[in-house]
């Protein structure tokens, strides 16, 4: 009877370790997914910002073609909206980059906390307990 009890205990611990490993794997996949989405959003914002820079250049060129002897300032209504959009996009990009850094920092801290492998430690203690009987 003791052998069956030890075998059941051994298997129960194996199932528990498997559950923990699957939970951690799910967390890693979710974290990877979150970071991927943030990187994609950041890339899209950079693309939109580049488009706005091109629009700004075209607006400035058009202004000087129509008014060759005039001067242009940032308060000009033709370019003011474009400049504001570029600045807004810059803030959005910075927020995404901060979010990525925070996720990477959190990930690094979590991996530092996990200095041991749950499979190895659990299997060693279970093997030792199993062979004692």
């Amino acid at each position: 009877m003791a052998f069956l009890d030890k075998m059941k205990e051994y298997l129960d611990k194996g199932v528990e370790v498997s559950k923990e490993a699957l939970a951690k794997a799910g967390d890693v996949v979710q974290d990877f997914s979150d970071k991927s989405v943030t990187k994609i959003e950041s890339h899209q914002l950079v693309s939109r910002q580049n488009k706005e820079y091109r629009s700004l250049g075209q607006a400035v060129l058009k202004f000087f073609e129509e008014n060759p002897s005039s001067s242009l300032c940032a308060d000009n209504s033709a370019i003011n909206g474009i400049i504001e959009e570029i600045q807004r996009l810059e803030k959005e990009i910075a927020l995404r980059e901060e979010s990525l850094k925070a996720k990477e920092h959190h990930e690094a801290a979590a991996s530092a906390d996990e200095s041991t492998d749950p499979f190895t430690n659990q299997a060693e203690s279970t093997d030792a307990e199993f062979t004692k009987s």
Side-chain angles (χ1 to χ4, degrees), residues 42 45 89-100:
S42 180
L45 290 169
L89 289 169
E90 186 68 35
K91 290 176 185 175
E92 287 292 322
I93 293 166
L95 287 173
R96 297 301 189 286
E97 289 174 358
E98 287 176 24
S99 175
L100 278 174

Side-chain angles (χ1 to χ4, degrees), residues 81-126:
I82 299 171
I83 291 172
E84 287 176 0
E85 181 64 7
I86 290 171
Q87 291 170 339
R88 186 192 70 77
L89 289 169
E90 186 68 35
K91 290 176 185 175
E92 287 292 322
I93 293 166
L95 287 173
R96 297 301 189 286
E97 289 174 358
E98 287 176 24
S99 175
L100 278 174
K101 286 179 185 176
K103 288 176 185 176
E104 289 171 357
H105 176 71
H106 176 68
E107 182 181 287
S111 66
D113 290 342
E114 298 174 359
S115 60
T116 59
D117 182 6
F119 288 114
T120 306
N121 288 341
Q122 187 65 36
E124 288 174 359
S125 64
T126 306

Side-chain angles (χ1 to χ4, degrees), residues 2-133:
F3 175 76
L4 292 177
D5 291 338
K6 288 290 185 179
M7 185 61 122
K8 182 183 180 308
E9 183 180 319
Y10 181 77
L11 293 173
D12 287 345
K13 286 184 180 183
V15 168
E16 184 65 30
V17 169
S18 295
K19 286 180 183 178
E20 290 175 15
L22 288 174
K24 288 181 183 181
D27 291 344
V28 169
V29 168
Q30 181 63 44
D31 184 50
F32 177 75
S33 176
D34 291 345
K35 285 196 284 188
S36 296
V37 168
T38 304
K39 286 180 182 181
I40 290 168
E41 289 174 345
S42 180
H43 180 70
Q44 289 173 339
L45 290 169
V46 168
S47 294
R48 285 178 40 201
Q49 187 182 38
N50 288 336
K51 181 181 175 185
E52 292 298 323
Y53 279 123
R54 287 190 298 274
S55 296
L56 178 62
Q58 290 171 347
V60 169
L61 177 64
K62 181 179 178 183
F63 177 83
F64 284 120
E65 286 177 343
E66 293 173 358
N67 308 300
S69 61
S70 297
S71 63
L72 181 65
C73 67
D75 293 338
N76 183 291
S77 63
I79 65 167
N80 189 25
I82 299 171
I83 291 172
E84 287 176 0
E85 181 64 7
I86 290 171
Q87 291 170 339
R88 186 192 70 77
L89 289 169
E90 186 68 35
K91 290 176 185 175
E92 287 292 322
I93 293 166
L95 287 173
R96 297 301 189 286
E97 289 174 358
E98 287 176 24
S99 175
L100 278 174
K101 286 179 185 176
K103 288 176 185 176
E104 289 171 357
H105 176 71
H106 176 68
E107 182 181 287
S111 66
D113 290 342
E114 298 174 359
S115 60
T116 59
D117 182 6
F119 288 114
T120 306
N121 288 341
Q122 187 65 36
E124 288 174 359
S125 64
T126 306
D127 287 343
E129 291 172 9
F130 187 70
T131 56
K132 287 180 186 176
S133 44

